[in-house]
Amino acid sequence: MTTQADLYADLDLELSWSEHELPERERTKHVHRLHPYLGKFVPQLVEVFLHRYAQPGDLVWDPFAGSGTTLVEANAFGARAAGCDVSAFNCLLARVKTAAYEPAALLADVVRLSAEAPMAVSAPPSEYLERWFAPRAVSELLSFRERIAGTIYLDLWRVVLSRAARSARLARHDDLDFPKAPATSEYECSKHRRTCRPVEEAEKFLRRYVRDAVQRVQEFADVRSDEPVTVIHGDARIVEPPGAVDLVITSPPYPGLIDYHGQHAYAYELIGLERRDEDEIGRGVRGYCEGVAAALRRAAEALVPGGRVVVVVNDSRRLYDRILEEAGLQLEERLLRHVNRRTGRRAGEYFEEVLVARA
Ligand SMILES: C[S@@+](CC[C@H](N)C(=O)[O-])C[C@H]1O[C@@H](n2cnc3c(N)ncnc32)[C@H](O)[C@@H]1O
């Protein structure tokens, strides 16, 4: 049996940062905190492997791109970045994070959004919106959705709309990830350790997040390169990388852990994006190994000779020996990293592995 002492003995210290070494503001720097996303890896992990295995101008591919951490960091490193994800909202987020923004056009949008009085909303709210938001919050969100229609950076404001909707939901503050039922009256909140009330408005979040989004994309502009970024909305088992791949850095979904469409249900509802829940790998254990292996095989087939595949996993079920083999990959290194978890309901000792493989 593996003991705690064994785990620490095997630890890769370069990849195991303490809170002091890697504080939250660094883990969530610039666009990485544009919108909450459960299940992303820390950007510094990507940076380590870019420096180990890539050169500026290389093509870096992430078949499970998620919120776009690999793409953002690969772009800042000076590589060409490409990725795919089956969730349309995640693709939107990754595109918005990696896009270039012209300061004058950004300012014009902000002026337009702050100057215009809320418009009367034409369509009645859907059943979902009526259930999950207070009447005032729904009307403010729908009004913002109408106001952003003529903006230059529509997708950026869609992400802001989604972030504000997440904050304005009738969800308990201590159950924001997957709330089961709306909170309609006061409740004892374990996060804030006091009595909290359901949120009634959205406008204050919209205003705060417009400002925050502008600041974050401008901060990223300071490190952003002009290398191309390609985001493909599709199934990684089928999608071809857009060229010969020099390096893959990815973290596949873990079986049965996170519902990647479900965690942003409010965004699909408000923005009206296509859902492809049935194509999501990891919704259960069945077909999981075959699915991830097929996606990694596609990546392996596109690799240049000597190219590496870096896979971040929580492989407590030891599925990845078989997955890598089925994908035609040979394991070169299995690194163990201590994940520094924040406080709250998901706090606690947690380790993940980084598998480095070659075709
Ligand atoms: C662990 S997350 C990746 C997080 C990413 N590393 C980040 O930092 O944001 C796994 C991602 O795989 C995506 N996914 C699940 N099934 C997929 C499939 N068949 N094709 C492509 N992406 C898929 C999910 O939507 C999710 O965004």
Side-chain angles (χ1 to χ4, degrees):
M1 204 181 88
T2 313
T3 64
Q4 201 73 345
D6 294 334
L7 281 171
Y8 277 102
D10 289 345
L11 216 54
D12 188 299
L13 291 176
E14 200 197 340
L15 306 177
S16 304
W17 299 276
S18 66
E19 182 65 34
H20 176 70
E21 289 164 324
L22 189 56
E24 183 166 8
R25 67 168 186 284
E26 285 300 315
R27 303 195 298 265
T28 58
K29 62 185 176 178
H30 51 72
V31 289
H32 292 298
R33 179 51 77 75
L34 209 49
H35 192 286
Y37 174 99
L38 194 62
K40 58 176 171 241
F41 43 37
V42 288
Q44 286 73 16
L45 194 58
V46 179
E47 273 175 33
V48 168
F49 291 101
L50 285 167
H51 282 97
R52 271 192 206 176
Y53 299 126
Q55 302 289 328
D58 277 0
L59 177 61
V60 177
W61 169 244
D62 185 349
F64 300 106
S67 66
T69 312
T70 294
L71 308 193
V72 169
E73 289 304 317
N75 172 275
F77 176 80
R80 291 169 293 135
C84 99
D85 202 285
V86 78
S87 149
F89 178 72
N90 298 350
C91 291
L92 172 77
L93 193 50
R95 281 195 197 103
V96 161
K97 285 181 177 180
T98 50
Y101 297 90
E102 221 270 291
L106 207 48
L107 183 64
D109 270 1
V110 174
V111 170
R112 186 188 164 102
L113 290 177
S114 41
E116 280 183 23
M119 288 166 53
V121 173
S122 38
S126 67
E127 214 177 287
Y128 176 94
L129 295 179
E130 279 193 330
R131 177 168 144 78
W132 280 99
F133 296 90
R136 179 174 160 198
V138 180
S139 106
E140 289 171 353
L141 290 168
L142 293 183
S143 159
F144 187 80
R145 189 177 71 180
E146 294 199 12
R147 273 143 64 204
I148 63 179
T151 52
I152 302 161
Y153 296 122
L154 175 61
D155 282 346
L156 177 63
W157 312 125
R158 279 179 163 157
V159 167
V160 167
L161 172 66
S162 168
R163 186 176 175 193
R166 184 184 159 89
S167 300
R169 283 173 306 168
L170 290 175
R172 294 173 59 108
H173 300 145
D174 52 12
D175 191 18
L176 291 174
D177 292 339
F178 293 104
K180 282 165 227 48
T184 48
S185 53
E186 287 185 351
Y187 58 91
E188 284 314 307
C189 175
S190 60
K191 181 174 172 188
H192 299 121
R193 297 213 175 91
R194 59 177 156 82
T195 306
C196 281
R197 297 174 50 177
V199 181
E200 288 187 353
E201 61 155 324
E203 191 62 35
K204 69 174 182 204
F205 297 115
L206 287 162
R207 269 187 265 118
R208 188 189 306 161
Y209 297 155
V210 164
R211 278 198 304 274
D212 187 67
V214 169
Q215 195 180 331
R216 288 181 182 279
V217 298
Q218 286 181 332
E219 277 166 18
F220 182 56
D222 292 342
V223 292
R224 188 181 178 280
S225 74
D226 289 332
E227 293 297 329
V229 181
T230 311
V231 180
I232 304 167
H233 179 210
D235 186 334
R237 291 168 289 195
I238 299 162
V239 169
E240 299 273 356
V245 172
D246 297 281
L247 174 65
V248 175
I249 306 180
T250 195
S251 66
Y254 304 150
L257 207 60
I258 297 175
D259 174 346
Y260 286 97
H261 281 83
Q263 71 162 304
H264 300 125
Y266 49 89
Y268 284 92
E269 188 69 30
L270 269 171
I271 306 174
L273 299 167
E274 180 207 358
R275 285 185 71 140
R276 291 182 57 174
D277 298 58
E278 65 294 344
D279 293 331
E280 200 178 297
I281 298 171
R283 280 157 64 84
V285 181
R286 237 171 119 210
Y288 175 79
C289 294
E290 296 74 11
V292 176
L296 294 182
R297 194 177 323 114
R298 285 235 165 253
E301 283 164 3
L303 267 189
V304 299
R308 303 295 205 300
V309 176
V310 176
V311 189
V312 181
V313 288
N314 171 357
D315 195 18
S316 49
R317 301 183 201 191
R318 286 302 278 211
L319 303 174
Y320 274 79
D321 291 333
R322 178 180 146 205
I323 289 175
L324 294 184
E325 196 184 321
E326 276 184 30
L329 288 164
Q330 266 144 42
L331 186 66
E332 200 172 68
E333 265 187 297
R334 194 181 257 274
L335 307 163
L336 187 68
R337 136 180 159 77
H338 179 252
V339 180
N340 181 24
R341 277 211 160 157
R342 289 154 296 176
T343 51
R345 280 170 20 114
R346 295 190 301 127
E349 203 75 299
Y350 179 67
F351 295 86
E352 69 186 7
E353 284 169 282
V354 184
L355 314 177
V356 181
R358 302 174 87 130

